[in-house]
């Protein structure tokens, strides 16, 4: 079975709609011309999904209806992710959580996960994941993603504190050797921040 037949077509439709070239402005007709076109139901579901998230809308000019991308749709199409992942990033940015949304999308789309996964040891893996997220269920990808996100935050914070500690220790040791130079540096640093 060709890939396009089983795909959701969301990404393809949004990219075609966002194209400057007018030939691509009717993705339904263009996709029907493929050697193995996707089922009409897949195209219809993709268009409904894109309308629900606000990525495209129907513009009526006289009797003719045209599907056009919104500004949000153009933004989603410009990001190097799938439509659903791009939407997750934009929603995270709107809520002031861009960093967290980017990390979550990265975790969902890359392997290996931050948490070590031992092959064919589901019970052991779940115990390890529960160290970071108590409600993890190895059969639920969302809970596994949340556990890996929590693990990422744990290590990020610990590494950041460790790096800050090493920098502070280095500065302290430098200051003990050159006390006059450090006092001037400290004053300059405290007034500039």
């Amino acid at each position: 079975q060709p890939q396009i037949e089983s795909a959701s077509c969301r990404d393809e439709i949004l990219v075609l709609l966002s194209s400057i070239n007018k030939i691509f402005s009717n993705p339904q007709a263009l996709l029907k011309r493929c050697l193995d076109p996707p089922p009409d139901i897949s195209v219809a579901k993709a268009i409904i999904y894109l309308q629900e998230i606000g990525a495209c809308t129907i513009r009526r000019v006289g009797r003719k209806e045209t599907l056009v991308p919104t500004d949000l749709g153009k933004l989603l199409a410009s990001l190097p992710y799938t439509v659903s992942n791009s939407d997750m990033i934009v929603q995270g940015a709107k809520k002031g959580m861009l960093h967290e949304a980017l990390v979550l999308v990265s975790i969902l789309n890359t392997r290996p996960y931050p948490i070590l996964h031992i092959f064919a040891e589901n019970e052991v893996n779940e115990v390890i994941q529960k160290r970071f997220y108590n409600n993890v269920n190895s059969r639920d990808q969302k809970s596994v993603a949340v556990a890996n996100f929590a693990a990422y935050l744990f290590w990020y914070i610990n590494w950041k504190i460790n790096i800050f500690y090493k920098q502070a220790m280095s500065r302290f040791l430098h200051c003990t050797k050159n006390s006059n130079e450090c006092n001037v540096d400290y004053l300059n640093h405290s007034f500039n921040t």
Side-chain angles (χ1 to χ4, degrees), residues 50-82:
L50 292 172
Q51 288 175 326
E52 286 175 352
I53 66 168
C56 66
T57 187
I58 295 177
R59 183 189 311 154
R60 291 180 176 83
V61 179
R63 294 183 192 176
K64 187 177 181 184
E65 291 182 347
T66 309
L67 193 64
V68 294
T70 60
D71 290 338
L72 174 64
K74 291 176 184 176
L75 174 64
L76 296 178
S78 69
L79 294 175
Y81 300 101
T82 63

PDB file of all heavy atoms in Angstrom, residues 50-82:
ATOM      1  N   LEU A  50      -7.645  20.728   9.715  1.00  0.00           N
ATOM      2  CA  LEU A  50      -6.968  22.011   9.501  1.00  0.00           C
ATOM      3  C   LEU A  50      -7.893  23.187   9.783  1.00  0.00           C
ATOM      4  O   LEU A  50      -7.463  24.211  10.316  1.00  0.00           O
ATOM      5  CB  LEU A  50      -6.412  22.080   8.075  1.00  0.00           C
ATOM      6  CG  LEU A  50      -5.265  21.114   7.771  1.00  0.00           C
ATOM      7  CD1 LEU A  50      -4.939  21.125   6.281  1.00  0.00           C
ATOM      8  CD2 LEU A  50      -4.034  21.448   8.604  1.00  0.00           C
ATOM      9  N   GLN A  51      -9.170  23.035   9.457  1.00  0.00           N
ATOM     10  CA  GLN A  51     -10.129  24.099   9.763  1.00  0.00           C
ATOM     11  C   GLN A  51     -10.367  24.201  11.268  1.00  0.00           C
ATOM     12  O   GLN A  51     -10.477  25.307  11.806  1.00  0.00           O
ATOM     13  CB  GLN A  51     -11.454  23.851   9.039  1.00  0.00           C
ATOM     14  CG  GLN A  51     -11.364  24.090   7.547  1.00  0.00           C
ATOM     15  CD  GLN A  51     -12.659  23.718   6.827  1.00  0.00           C
ATOM     16  OE1 GLN A  51     -13.347  22.785   7.212  1.00  0.00           O
ATOM     17  NE2 GLN A  51     -12.953  24.454   5.769  1.00  0.00           N
ATOM     18  N   GLU A  52     -10.430  23.058  11.950  1.00  0.00           N
ATOM     19  CA  GLU A  52     -10.671  23.064  13.397  1.00  0.00           C
ATOM     20  C   GLU A  52      -9.544  23.742  14.175  1.00  0.00           C
ATOM     21  O   GLU A  52      -9.799  24.418  15.169  1.00  0.00           O
ATOM     22  CB  GLU A  52     -10.860  21.631  13.910  1.00  0.00           C
ATOM     23  CG  GLU A  52     -12.195  21.030  13.534  1.00  0.00           C
ATOM     24  CD  GLU A  52     -12.324  19.569  13.940  1.00  0.00           C
ATOM     25  OE1 GLU A  52     -11.316  18.968  14.391  1.00  0.00           O
ATOM     26  OE2 GLU A  52     -13.429  19.029  13.796  1.00  0.00           O
ATOM     27  N   ILE A  53      -8.310  23.548  13.743  1.00  0.00           N
ATOM     28  CA  ILE A  53      -7.202  24.183  14.472  1.00  0.00           C
ATOM     29  C   ILE A  53      -6.940  25.611  13.986  1.00  0.00           C
ATOM     30  O   ILE A  53      -6.073  26.290  14.513  1.00  0.00           O
ATOM     31  CB  ILE A  53      -5.907  23.346  14.405  1.00  0.00           C
ATOM     32  CG1 ILE A  53      -5.353  23.255  12.982  1.00  0.00           C
ATOM     33  CG2 ILE A  53      -6.119  21.973  15.009  1.00  0.00           C
ATOM     34  CD1 ILE A  53      -3.950  22.698  12.907  1.00  0.00           C
ATOM     35  N   GLY A  54      -7.680  26.051  12.983  1.00  0.00           N
ATOM     36  CA  GLY A  54      -7.542  27.422  12.495  1.00  0.00           C
ATOM     37  C   GLY A  54      -6.439  27.611  11.481  1.00  0.00           C
ATOM     38  O   GLY A  54      -5.998  28.736  11.240  1.00  0.00           O
ATOM     39  N   ALA A  55      -5.976  26.526  10.849  1.00  0.00           N
ATOM     40  CA  ALA A  55      -4.884  26.628   9.873  1.00  0.00           C
ATOM     41  C   ALA A  55      -5.389  27.028   8.490  1.00  0.00           C
ATOM     42  O   ALA A  55      -4.624  27.554   7.682  1.00  0.00           O
ATOM     43  CB  ALA A  55      -4.134  25.307   9.771  1.00  0.00           C
ATOM     44  N   CYS A  56      -6.650  26.776   8.207  1.00  0.00           N
ATOM     45  CA  CYS A  56      -7.215  27.199   6.922  1.00  0.00           C
ATOM     46  C   CYS A  56      -8.691  27.510   7.106  1.00  0.00           C
ATOM     47  O   CYS A  56      -9.306  27.133   8.100  1.00  0.00           O
ATOM     48  CB  CYS A  56      -7.001  26.140   5.835  1.00  0.00           C
ATOM     49  SG  CYS A  56      -7.881  24.606   6.108  1.00  0.00           S
ATOM     50  N   THR A  57      -9.227  28.210   6.153  1.00  0.00           N
ATOM     51  CA  THR A  57     -10.627  28.601   6.184  1.00  0.00           C
ATOM     52  C   THR A  57     -11.174  28.612   4.762  1.00  0.00           C
ATOM     53  O   THR A  57     -10.408  28.620   3.801  1.00  0.00           O
ATOM     54  CB  THR A  57     -10.800  29.984   6.855  1.00  0.00           C
ATOM     55  OG1 THR A  57     -12.168  30.263   7.008  1.00  0.00           O
ATOM     56  CG2 THR A  57     -10.130  31.087   6.052  1.00  0.00           C
ATOM     57  N   ILE A  58     -12.475  28.631   4.649  1.00  0.00           N
ATOM     58  CA  ILE A  58     -13.110  28.671   3.326  1.00  0.00           C
ATOM     59  C   ILE A  58     -13.446  30.125   3.009  1.00  0.00           C
ATOM     60  O   ILE A  58     -14.105  30.816   3.796  1.00  0.00           O
ATOM     61  CB  ILE A  58     -14.380  27.797   3.284  1.00  0.00           C
ATOM     62  CG1 ILE A  58     -13.995  26.337   3.474  1.00  0.00           C
ATOM     63  CG2 ILE A  58     -15.126  28.007   1.980  1.00  0.00           C
ATOM     64  CD1 ILE A  58     -15.158  25.381   3.535  1.00  0.00           C
ATOM     65  N   ARG A  59     -12.976  30.580   1.864  1.00  0.00           N
ATOM     66  CA  ARG A  59     -13.268  31.936   1.395  1.00  0.00           C
ATOM     67  C   ARG A  59     -14.307  31.821   0.288  1.00  0.00           C
ATOM     68  O   ARG A  59     -14.141  31.059  -0.657  1.00  0.00           O
ATOM     69  CB  ARG A  59     -12.013  32.611   0.859  1.00  0.00           C
ATOM     70  CG  ARG A  59     -12.295  34.057   0.441  1.00  0.00           C
ATOM     71  CD  ARG A  59     -11.177  34.736  -0.290  1.00  0.00           C
ATOM     72  NE  ARG A  59      -9.898  34.583   0.369  1.00  0.00           N
ATOM     73  CZ  ARG A  59      -8.740  34.633  -0.281  1.00  0.00           C
ATOM     74  NH1 ARG A  59      -8.704  34.806  -1.586  1.00  0.00           N
ATOM     75  NH2 ARG A  59      -7.603  34.504   0.362  1.00  0.00           N
ATOM     76  N   ARG A  60     -15.364  32.584   0.412  1.00  0.00           N
ATOM     77  CA  ARG A  60     -16.425  32.570  -0.597  1.00  0.00           C
ATOM     78  C   ARG A  60     -16.330  33.835  -1.435  1.00  0.00           C
ATOM     79  O   ARG A  60     -16.375  34.938  -0.931  1.00  0.00           O
ATOM     80  CB  ARG A  60     -17.787  32.486   0.068  1.00  0.00           C
ATOM     81  CG  ARG A  60     -18.045  31.155   0.725  1.00  0.00           C
ATOM     82  CD  ARG A  60     -19.422  31.093   1.397  1.00  0.00           C
ATOM     83  NE  ARG A  60     -19.696  29.785   1.930  1.00  0.00           N
ATOM     84  CZ  ARG A  60     -19.274  29.337   3.101  1.00  0.00           C
ATOM     85  NH1 ARG A  60     -18.555  30.124   3.866  1.00  0.00           N
ATOM     86  NH2 ARG A  60     -19.572  28.123   3.515  1.00  0.00           N
ATOM     87  N   VAL A  61     -16.197  33.638  -2.739  1.00  0.00           N
ATOM     88  CA  VAL A  61     -16.207  34.750  -3.687  1.00  0.00           C
ATOM     89  C   VAL A  61     -17.309  34.433  -4.695  1.00  0.00           C
ATOM     90  O   VAL A  61     -17.148  33.555  -5.542  1.00  0.00           O
ATOM     91  CB  VAL A  61     -14.828  34.893  -4.389  1.00  0.00           C
ATOM     92  CG1 VAL A  61     -14.869  36.040  -5.383  1.00  0.00           C
ATOM     93  CG2 VAL A  61     -13.719  35.092  -3.374  1.00  0.00           C
ATOM     94  N   GLY A  62     -18.419  35.149  -4.558  1.00  0.00           N
ATOM     95  CA  GLY A  62     -19.570  34.847  -5.408  1.00  0.00           C
ATOM     96  C   GLY A  62     -20.101  33.470  -5.071  1.00  0.00           C
ATOM     97  O   GLY A  62     -20.435  33.167  -3.938  1.00  0.00           O
ATOM     98  N   ARG A  63     -20.172  32.610  -6.061  1.00  0.00           N
ATOM     99  CA  ARG A  63     -20.641  31.237  -5.843  1.00  0.00           C
ATOM    100  C   ARG A  63     -19.492  30.264  -5.574  1.00  0.00           C
ATOM    101  O   ARG A  63     -19.724  29.131  -5.195  1.00  0.00           O
ATOM    102  CB  ARG A  63     -21.399  30.747  -7.076  1.00  0.00           C
ATOM    103  CG  ARG A  63     -22.669  31.487  -7.323  1.00  0.00           C
ATOM    104  CD  ARG A  63     -23.363  30.891  -8.507  1.00  0.00           C
ATOM    105  NE  ARG A  63     -24.447  31.757  -8.928  1.00  0.00           N
ATOM    106  CZ  ARG A  63     -25.179  31.531  -9.964  1.00  0.00           C
ATOM    107  NH1 ARG A  63     -24.948  30.484 -10.739  1.00  0.00           N
ATOM    108  NH2 ARG A  63     -26.152  32.353 -10.281  1.00  0.00           N
ATOM    109  N   LYS A  64     -18.302  30.733  -5.775  1.00  0.00           N
ATOM    110  CA  LYS A  64     -17.140  29.849  -5.663  1.00  0.00           C
ATOM    111  C   LYS A  64     -16.582  29.859  -4.233  1.00  0.00           C
ATOM    112  O   LYS A  64     -16.409  30.911  -3.631  1.00  0.00           O
ATOM    113  CB  LYS A  64     -16.066  30.297  -6.650  1.00  0.00           C
ATOM    114  CG  LYS A  64     -14.893  29.356  -6.751  1.00  0.00           C
ATOM    115  CD  LYS A  64     -13.917  29.828  -7.805  1.00  0.00           C
ATOM    116  CE  LYS A  64     -12.768  28.845  -7.900  1.00  0.00           C
ATOM    117  NZ  LYS A  64     -11.751  29.292  -8.834  1.00  0.00           N
ATOM    118  N   GLU A  65     -16.296  28.661  -3.725  1.00  0.00           N
ATOM    119  CA  GLU A  65     -15.662  28.515  -2.417  1.00  0.00           C
ATOM    120  C   GLU A  65     -14.231  28.023  -2.613  1.00  0.00           C
ATOM    121  O   GLU A  65     -13.996  27.093  -3.374  1.00  0.00           O
ATOM    122  CB  GLU A  65     -16.420  27.508  -1.548  1.00  0.00           C
ATOM    123  CG  GLU A  65     -17.775  27.985  -1.119  1.00  0.00           C
ATOM    124  CD  GLU A  65     -18.463  26.976  -0.215  1.00  0.00           C
ATOM    125  OE1 GLU A  65     -17.995  25.822  -0.127  1.00  0.00           O
ATOM    126  OE2 GLU A  65     -19.459  27.351   0.405  1.00  0.00           O
ATOM    127  N   THR A  66     -13.318  28.679  -1.939  1.00  0.00           N
ATOM    128  CA  THR A  66     -11.911  28.315  -2.043  1.00  0.00           C
ATOM    129  C   THR A  66     -11.347  28.105  -0.645  1.00  0.00           C
ATOM    130  O   THR A  66     -11.619  28.890   0.262  1.00  0.00           O
ATOM    131  CB  THR A  66     -11.115  29.434  -2.749  1.00  0.00           C
ATOM    132  OG1 THR A  66     -11.757  29.768  -3.963  1.00  0.00           O
ATOM    133  CG2 THR A  66      -9.698  29.003  -3.023  1.00  0.00           C
ATOM    134  N   LEU A  67     -10.565  27.063  -0.503  1.00  0.00           N
ATOM    135  CA  LEU A  67      -9.877  26.796   0.748  1.00  0.00           C
ATOM    136  C   LEU A  67      -8.575  27.591   0.755  1.00  0.00           C
ATOM    137  O   LEU A  67      -7.767  27.477  -0.167  1.00  0.00           O
ATOM    138  CB  LEU A  67      -9.587  25.289   0.865  1.00  0.00           C
ATOM    139  CG  LEU A  67      -9.151  24.760   2.202  1.00  0.00           C
ATOM    140  CD1 LEU A  67     -10.267  24.928   3.242  1.00  0.00           C
ATOM    141  CD2 LEU A  67      -8.789  23.287   2.084  1.00  0.00           C
ATOM    142  N   VAL A  68      -8.391  28.431   1.773  1.00  0.00           N
ATOM    143  CA  VAL A  68      -7.189  29.272   1.852  1.00  0.00           C
ATOM    144  C   VAL A  68      -6.550  29.122   3.234  1.00  0.00           C
ATOM    145  O   VAL A  68      -7.240  28.910   4.227  1.00  0.00           O
ATOM    146  CB  VAL A  68      -7.508  30.760   1.583  1.00  0.00           C
ATOM    147  CG1 VAL A  68      -7.962  30.970   0.154  1.00  0.00           C
ATOM    148  CG2 VAL A  68      -8.538  31.283   2.546  1.00  0.00           C
ATOM    149  N   PRO A  69      -5.229  29.250   3.289  1.00  0.00           N
ATOM    150  CA  PRO A  69      -4.568  29.164   4.603  1.00  0.00           C
ATOM    151  C   PRO A  69      -4.732  30.468   5.375  1.00  0.00           C
ATOM    152  O   PRO A  69      -4.803  31.548   4.798  1.00  0.00           O
ATOM    153  CB  PRO A  69      -3.107  28.926   4.231  1.00  0.00           C
ATOM    154  CG  PRO A  69      -2.947  29.577   2.909  1.00  0.00           C
ATOM    155  CD  PRO A  69      -4.275  29.394   2.204  1.00  0.00           C
ATOM    156  N   THR A  70      -4.796  30.356   6.675  1.00  0.00           N
ATOM    157  CA  THR A  70      -4.801  31.533   7.540  1.00  0.00           C
ATOM    158  C   THR A  70      -3.348  31.887   7.850  1.00  0.00           C
ATOM    159  O   THR A  70      -2.427  31.184   7.436  1.00  0.00           O
ATOM    160  CB  THR A  70      -5.548  31.231   8.851  1.00  0.00           C
ATOM    161  OG1 THR A  70      -4.873  30.160   9.514  1.00  0.00           O
ATOM    162  CG2 THR A  70      -6.998  30.845   8.592  1.00  0.00           C
ATOM    163  N   ASP A  71      -3.141  32.970   8.578  1.00  0.00           N
ATOM    164  CA  ASP A  71      -1.773  33.319   8.994  1.00  0.00           C
ATOM    165  C   ASP A  71      -1.181  32.213   9.866  1.00  0.00           C
ATOM    166  O   ASP A  71      -0.003  31.882   9.742  1.00  0.00           O
ATOM    167  CB  ASP A  71      -1.765  34.655   9.744  1.00  0.00           C
ATOM    168  CG  ASP A  71      -2.043  35.831   8.827  1.00  0.00           C
ATOM    169  OD1 ASP A  71      -1.839  35.691   7.608  1.00  0.00           O
ATOM    170  OD2 ASP A  71      -2.482  36.878   9.334  1.00  0.00           O
ATOM    171  N   LEU A  72      -2.011  31.636  10.743  1.00  0.00           N
ATOM    172  CA  LEU A  72      -1.554  30.522  11.563  1.00  0.00           C
ATOM    173  C   LEU A  72      -1.155  29.340  10.677  1.00  0.00           C
ATOM    174  O   LEU A  72      -0.128  28.704  10.905  1.00  0.00           O
ATOM    175  CB  LEU A  72      -2.645  30.080  12.545  1.00  0.00           C
ATOM    176  CG  LEU A  72      -2.347  28.824  13.356  1.00  0.00           C
ATOM    177  CD1 LEU A  72      -1.154  29.030  14.277  1.00  0.00           C
ATOM    178  CD2 LEU A  72      -3.567  28.382  14.141  1.00  0.00           C
ATOM    179  N   GLY A  73      -1.946  29.055   9.655  1.00  0.00           N
ATOM    180  CA  GLY A  73      -1.635  27.960   8.737  1.00  0.00           C
ATOM    181  C   GLY A  73      -0.320  28.181   8.016  1.00  0.00           C
ATOM    182  O   GLY A  73       0.470  27.241   7.842  1.00  0.00           O
ATOM    183  N   LYS A  74      -0.066  29.409   7.591  1.00  0.00           N
ATOM    184  CA  LYS A  74       1.203  29.714   6.926  1.00  0.00           C
ATOM    185  C   LYS A  74       2.376  29.530   7.894  1.00  0.00           C
ATOM    186  O   LYS A  74       3.439  29.038   7.508  1.00  0.00           O
ATOM    187  CB  LYS A  74       1.183  31.135   6.370  1.00  0.00           C
ATOM    188  CG  LYS A  74       0.225  31.306   5.205  1.00  0.00           C
ATOM    189  CD  LYS A  74       0.163  32.751   4.752  1.00  0.00           C
ATOM    190  CE  LYS A  74      -0.870  32.936   3.665  1.00  0.00           C
ATOM    191  NZ  LYS A  74      -1.017  34.341   3.271  1.00  0.00           N
ATOM    192  N   LEU A  75       2.167  29.919   9.156  1.00  0.00           N
ATOM    193  CA  LEU A  75       3.209  29.727  10.161  1.00  0.00           C
ATOM    194  C   LEU A  75       3.468  28.239  10.393  1.00  0.00           C
ATOM    195  O   LEU A  75       4.615  27.792  10.411  1.00  0.00           O
ATOM    196  CB  LEU A  75       2.814  30.400  11.481  1.00  0.00           C
ATOM    197  CG  LEU A  75       3.750  30.165  12.666  1.00  0.00           C
ATOM    198  CD1 LEU A  75       5.121  30.761  12.401  1.00  0.00           C
ATOM    199  CD2 LEU A  75       3.149  30.725  13.935  1.00  0.00           C
ATOM    200  N   LEU A  76       2.399  27.462  10.544  1.00  0.00           N
ATOM    201  CA  LEU A  76       2.544  26.022  10.774  1.00  0.00           C
ATOM    202  C   LEU A  76       3.246  25.346   9.604  1.00  0.00           C
ATOM    203  O   LEU A  76       4.075  24.457   9.787  1.00  0.00           O
ATOM    204  CB  LEU A  76       1.181  25.368  11.013  1.00  0.00           C
ATOM    205  CG  LEU A  76       0.412  25.807  12.263  1.00  0.00           C
ATOM    206  CD1 LEU A  76      -0.930  25.091  12.319  1.00  0.00           C
ATOM    207  CD2 LEU A  76       1.204  25.579  13.521  1.00  0.00           C
ATOM    208  N   ALA A  77       2.923  25.764   8.388  1.00  0.00           N
ATOM    209  CA  ALA A  77       3.544  25.168   7.198  1.00  0.00           C
ATOM    210  C   ALA A  77       5.016  25.534   7.093  1.00  0.00           C
ATOM    211  O   ALA A  77       5.803  24.783   6.514  1.00  0.00           O
ATOM    212  CB  ALA A  77       2.801  25.618   5.939  1.00  0.00           C
ATOM    213  N   SER A  78       5.405  26.666   7.659  1.00  0.00           N
ATOM    214  CA  SER A  78       6.803  27.097   7.553  1.00  0.00           C
ATOM    215  C   SER A  78       7.720  26.405   8.559  1.00  0.00           C
ATOM    216  O   SER A  78       8.933  26.414   8.396  1.00  0.00           O
ATOM    217  CB  SER A  78       6.904  28.613   7.729  1.00  0.00           C
ATOM    218  OG  SER A  78       6.606  28.976   9.064  1.00  0.00           O
ATOM    219  N   LEU A  79       7.148  25.809   9.599  1.00  0.00           N
ATOM    220  CA  LEU A  79       7.970  25.131  10.604  1.00  0.00           C
ATOM    221  C   LEU A  79       8.369  23.743  10.102  1.00  0.00           C
ATOM    222  O   LEU A  79       7.611  23.094   9.396  1.00  0.00           O
ATOM    223  CB  LEU A  79       7.199  25.012  11.923  1.00  0.00           C
ATOM    224  CG  LEU A  79       6.887  26.333  12.621  1.00  0.00           C
ATOM    225  CD1 LEU A  79       6.019  26.095  13.849  1.00  0.00           C
ATOM    226  CD2 LEU A  79       8.159  27.056  13.013  1.00  0.00           C
ATOM    227  N   PRO A  80       9.551  23.265  10.487  1.00  0.00           N
ATOM    228  CA  PRO A  80      10.036  21.973   9.975  1.00  0.00           C
ATOM    229  C   PRO A  80       9.489  20.768  10.742  1.00  0.00           C
ATOM    230  O   PRO A  80      10.218  19.827  11.029  1.00  0.00           O
ATOM    231  CB  PRO A  80      11.549  22.095  10.134  1.00  0.00           C
ATOM    232  CG  PRO A  80      11.702  22.953  11.335  1.00  0.00           C
ATOM    233  CD  PRO A  80      10.570  23.956  11.262  1.00  0.00           C
ATOM    234  N   TYR A  81       8.231  20.815  11.101  1.00  0.00           N
ATOM    235  CA  TYR A  81       7.583  19.734  11.841  1.00  0.00           C
ATOM    236  C   TYR A  81       6.268  19.378  11.161  1.00  0.00           C
ATOM    237  O   TYR A  81       5.824  20.065  10.248  1.00  0.00           O
ATOM    238  CB  TYR A  81       7.295  20.165  13.295  1.00  0.00           C
ATOM    239  CG  TYR A  81       8.516  20.543  14.069  1.00  0.00           C
ATOM    240  CD1 TYR A  81       8.857  21.879  14.282  1.00  0.00           C
ATOM    241  CD2 TYR A  81       9.343  19.569  14.600  1.00  0.00           C
ATOM    242  CE1 TYR A  81       9.982  22.220  15.000  1.00  0.00           C
ATOM    243  CE2 TYR A  81      10.474  19.903  15.325  1.00  0.00           C
ATOM    244  CZ  TYR A  81      10.789  21.225  15.515  1.00  0.00           C
ATOM    245  OH  TYR A  81      11.906  21.565  16.222  1.00  0.00           O
ATOM    246  N   THR A  82       5.626  18.321  11.652  1.00  0.00           N
ATOM    247  CA  THR A  82       4.297  17.993  11.146  1.00  0.00           C
ATOM    248  C   THR A  82       3.321  19.063  11.628  1.00  0.00           C
ATOM    249  O   THR A  82       3.632  19.831  12.546  1.00  0.00           O
ATOM    250  CB  THR A  82       3.837  16.617  11.660  1.00  0.00           C
ATOM    251  OG1 THR A  82       3.730  16.676  13.079  1.00  0.00           O
ATOM    252  CG2 THR A  82       4.787  15.509  11.224  1.00  0.00           C
TER     253      THR A  82
END
